Amino acid sequence: MTLQSSVARIALFAALIAALGLVPQITIPFAGGVPITAQTLGIMLAGLILGPWRGAAAVLVFLAVVALGAPLLAGGRGGLGVFAGPTVGFLIGWPIATIVVGLVYRAMPEARPILAGVTASVVGGILTLYAFGIPGLSLVTEMPLAKAAAVVGVFIPGDILKAFIAAAVAREVRRARVLA
């Protein structure tokens, strides 16, 4: 893959993550200010389709643009203030989650792309992401860690659905590459 092609794909996925922020967020009153968004689907897709390093680069580009003030997070949020709010752990975890998704996906057998995609998305896009998000939520809101973990539990069904969607999209992208 050429440098130009890599840069284009990284930019495309940063834009995809931004576009997923246009899907209306769902705010749950007891979730400590952490909304349900479609953007974690973009994190999973970046790792599955771009791989660990290009996927993480796309996420970092997106986060840099958000830090500069672009209101690209779900709900039109942006600026440095979002890195001091209840979602900070999730935001910090996004590039790492993308790396884990990509590495796990690469390590899985290609013969079962849906299983590989779901497994990688759950391990990276849910478990790894929650490992950052829960402590961040607890720290910012001064919520006990166990309570923060329980609160975040409400996101699990939607995140599992996103893992299946990401796996199906990645399988179709892989098929398209083979046919091209």
Side-chain angles (χ1 to χ4, degrees):
M1 184 179 303
T2 67
L3 177 61
Q4 287 177 319
S5 175
S6 288
V7 170
R9 289 178 187 193
I10 288 166
L12 177 67
F13 267 84
L16 173 68
I17 296 166
L20 287 168
L22 296 174
V23 175
Q25 68 181 13
I26 300 170
T27 304
I28 301 171
F30 62 85
V34 178
I36 296 173
T37 75
Q39 288 180 302
T40 50
L41 173 61
I43 302 309
M44 294 173 188
L45 285 168
L48 293 174
I49 295 172
L50 292 183
W53 313 116
R54 287 184 191 94
V59 173
L60 290 170
V61 166
F62 172 80
L63 291 174
V65 174
V66 167
L68 291 172
L72 300 177
L73 291 172
R77 297 173 300 127
L80 289 175
V82 298
F83 296 97
T87 60
V88 64
F90 291 98
L91 297 175
I92 290 170
W94 276 5
I96 295 144
T98 304
I99 291 169
V100 173
V101 169
L103 291 174
V104 171
Y105 191 57
R106 279 186 179 171
M108 299 286 293
E110 289 186 28
R112 306 199 74 153
I114 293 291
L115 177 62
V118 169
T119 301
S121 294
V122 167
V123 172
I126 299 175
L127 298 176
T128 301
L129 190 55
Y130 286 19
F132 287 87
I134 292 169
L137 175 62
S138 175
L139 182 69
V140 170
T141 63
E142 298 180 359
M143 187 183 300
L145 196 57
K147 183 176 180 188
V151 164
V152 170
V154 73
F155 301 122
I156 293 173
D159 284 341
I160 290 172
L161 176 62
K162 290 177 213 172
F164 276 95
I165 292 169
V169 170
R171 179 188 64 192
E172 295 308 314
V173 168
R174 181 181 281 181
R175 281 184 184 168
R177 283 182 183 163
V178 170
L179 295 175

